[in-house]
Amino acid sequence: MQNLLPEPPATLLPEATEADAALAAAGQTATDEAYAEVAARFPTYSAAWAALGARALAEGQVVAAYAYSRTGYHRGLDQLRRSGWKGHGPVPWAHHPNRGFLRCLYVLSRAAGEIGEADEAARCAQFLRDCDPAAGDALSSD
């Protein structure tokens, strides 16, 4: 059956030039402390939380990864809503400012799975695909 309702427009988060520069600088030292400083300085910037979550997950610190990614996910939801998102519709991976939120969603799915929250892991994985299948493809190949 074909859906006759138009899909909502893509949601594009605003640029965060200063936060992007701070995150890039943190990447030069690549320490947890450097990334934590970015998250503290720009607490609404999901990309910093995603970096912390991904690092924690890679180091086997699953609960920390879950906490970091959940924080970034919720901060991203707030930004999406302020940008006109109504709870559904595309959040394109191709738009760089959306990537922090999408990365948080990916890490949250993985961390939830690691702590035995299979339902949440599946919901987050589906939400990521619903936002943009390209995000899931890009992140799972990292």
Side-chain angles (χ1 to χ4, degrees):
M1 180 163 53
Q2 181 182 5
N3 183 355
L4 299 177
L5 295 174
E7 185 165 311
T11 302
L12 305 177
L13 292 176
E15 296 287 333
T17 308
E18 189 178 353
D20 285 341
L23 187 62
Q28 297 299 311
T29 60
T31 64
D32 290 342
E33 294 78 16
Y35 290 113
E37 285 178 20
V38 178
R41 185 169 165 209
F42 303 99
T44 63
Y45 181 59
S46 292
W49 296 107
L52 285 164
R55 288 176 60 79
L57 192 62
E59 295 169 3
Q61 299 173 5
V62 180
V63 172
Y66 183 89
Y68 287 137
S69 59
R70 181 161 282 288
T71 299
Y73 163 76
H74 281 286
R75 298 315 291 258
L77 285 176
D78 292 343
Q79 288 185 338
L80 286 169
R81 289 181 188 114
R82 281 193 300 273
S83 295
W85 186 74
K86 303 290 187 212
H88 64 285
V91 180
W93 173 256
H95 183 65
H96 180 77
N98 290 351
R99 290 185 178 189
F101 168 75
L102 296 169
R103 279 189 166 98
C104 283
L105 193 51
Y106 174 75
V107 174
L108 181 57
S109 176
R110 290 197 48 216
E114 290 286 324
I115 63 172
E117 290 284 336
D119 289 346
E120 182 176 25
R123 276 191 309 273
C124 290
Q126 185 60 54
F127 186 15
L128 181 64
R129 291 247 175 241
D130 290 346
C131 285
D132 187 347
D137 294 344
L139 291 164
S140 64
S141 68
D142 277 355

